[in-house]
Amino acid sequence: MRRDPFAPARAAARGLIFVLLFIALQRVSFLIHDVQGVSLWYLPAGLSVAYLVRFGAWQAGWVYLAIAGAGWLQSPVALNHPAALIGTAGYLLGAHLLRQGTGWQTGRLSLQDILAFPVLASLTAGVSALTAPVLYLAGDLMATPWLSVVFDWWVGDMVGIVVVTPPLLLLSAARQVQGGEGRRSWGGLPWDVVAPFILVSPLTWLVFTVAAPQGLRLHFLCFVPLLWLAIRSGLTAAVAGSVLTTLCMALLMPQAALPHAELVSVQLLVLTLTLTALIVGAGATERQRDRARLMHLALTDPLTGLPNRHAFLKAAQDRLRTDPDLLITALDVSRLKWINDTLGQASGDEVLVTFARRLQASVPHHGVVARLNGGMFAVACSPYRPGDVPSEPMATLRAALSVPFALDGAEIQVHFLCGTARSTPGTTVETLMQRAEEALATARQTGVDVIDSSAPTRGSDGKASFSALHCEHDLRRALDLGGQLALHYQPQFELATLNLTSFEALIRWHHPERGLLAPAEFLPVAERTRLIIPLSVWVLQEACRQLAHWLTLPEAAHLRVAVNVSPGHLHTGQLHQDVQQALAAAGLPGDRLELELTESSLLLDPARANAQLALLHAQGVRLALDDFGTGYSSIRHLRDFQVSTLKIDRSFVRRLGEDARDRHLVTALTALGHELGTSVLAEGAESMEVVDLLRTLGCDSVQGYELGRPLPAADATQLIRRPPAPRPAGDVEEERPSREQA
């Protein structure tokens, strides 16, 4: 470590300043003295102890020089040097004892430090007062009785240490924590510094200039505001008030013309009440620190040190008042469970701490970052530049957080998703946070970041927006009351003859205020709130009931119905019983029902899914693998899960006439399905050209808007009775919704 060449010069300058200040304070201190000229208010004692505590015992040479020099200026005798040695030893003892309590060095005093302080001051002053008998024995001190001089010397040094040492050591702690509500101020200055000047000075002036000449001894009244300040504002106010009170008394006592005995009693009163104020102030400050610590724990995430949800919402609300263009982004670390399971909880915590640190560094200084729970974080900030769209701050965050993490000597890429909501006029921070979390939920389903820039009170169609909370409430009510939910049926045709073979049941919700709602508007909420289970049971029962009705028609003897099964329903373990009850209630055999599942839902718990599907297969229920080609697309799944129908996703079918690669993929998937003994159905046929191509490529069945839209049960019945002729290719089609909208 490189040494500072100017350190000795600075130390020497500091020592000289100390010596000069010591001599000046000694001159002031002798304004209050006894009949023998001994100061009853010896400020240099407190200065010396504070100097040795702050800069170390090796500064004792400067203390010795200051005592000897001040003594020589007062009375140039040879005994100044032994007296200086005794005084230096006393102050060294006091400094050593003070340094044992770490609170005096850090500025965070405990009640124990303050309670030990009077004993320490008494010992220090006692050693220093031994100078008096030395001077008396040498004949330099002509006093009778000399013991009274020793007592006065001891009192003067104690007063100086008690009054001067604490404020000098606590200068660095002038901004101590003063409770959970923050420090009060007056004119920009802290209240605990201003209050002593307002309360102490006038009262001390009245006691010594008005009451004392009239023979009224009301000196104790000077400490009433001091104790009140100590209780109310803590140690800083107690220290400031004690210094000011003692200073005022020192300046005003000569005007009171008190006799020696009363002067000593006043100094003992100063000593006692000052120590009392310091003890009371330390206790009050310790309670304030405890409250502040509890408040900090209540508002802070203990792992990352970031604000928690409550603190984040409060800070974001404050920002929203001044910044109407606020963005709230919810982030979710995707691989946290894998890291915890693979590398251990400590590694997962390390990733979270590093992620939080990077996130905080990538957000502008005026932004707010919080950890909400688990691997979920939140950011509230303004667009980085005027006119920025929400995607630009999100891109900045993603760039900063995409750097690999170093963990146990290896690099790990931590993936995360974002959901962002932008404030609009009238937005509350709770609504904005809810929209951000809903956007994040959508991002989890789609795998891409989501931005919600819509107004919270109006949708794009001018209707009031449908929040998740209202959606859950209304959907639960719809399930309880009935009459609002309905099934629409999209026909599926055999490609060779274009004969109707089955219907896919698709749920719709006739909301009493918002009209007809598509599944994309309420199924995500049903999934998150577990309402998907009773909703799926209702769909099963209604689809089976409707199919039983159709089977009474001569034209529908061959029909089946297909029902989509949600992952939540599949993995409850109740799917087999629910299907069995629905079939029994409708009086249907199992082979009339086909359950459509996606590969991703099967892989959440393959063992449980296989057990459920084996029971259903034993009943004759058919299984269709939906959206094949977009997920894992493992051939093993076609074998292990005993798939009856392979549904090729619409993304490969939609541009079949334009993209040769899609034609090759459909051909390969069709051949694969046939080799494994499964029927192949193509979704999303939107023109007769595509229908003809699918027939040429060998697909067995087709489903799409060209041949049939989702229909209410009554219209589907008409379709069964009067199958429509295929429309010629080239007809102009209206815009078709996606599968999610359907």
Side-chain angles (χ1 to χ4, degrees), residues 243-262:
V243 171
L244 184 60
T245 302
T246 310
L247 179 61
C248 291
M249 293 178 68
L251 295 175
L252 295 172
M253 263 197 287
Q255 301 182 31
L258 300 176
H260 175 260
E262 192 168 344

Side-chain angles (χ1 to χ4, degrees), residues 629-667:
T630 60
Y632 295 92
S633 301
S634 172
I635 301 174
R636 176 185 170 188
H637 302 155
L638 299 176
R639 180 199 67 190
D640 292 349
F641 295 113
Q642 301 180 9
V643 175
S644 305
T645 303
L646 181 66
K647 296 189 71 172
I648 300 176
D649 187 69
R650 66 178 60 240
S651 60
F652 302 117
V653 176
R654 186 171 51 247
R655 300 177 64 249
L656 200 61
E658 306 167 13
D659 195 330
R661 292 174 300 177
D662 284 346
R663 290 196 295 274
H664 296 325
L665 282 170
V666 171
T667 302

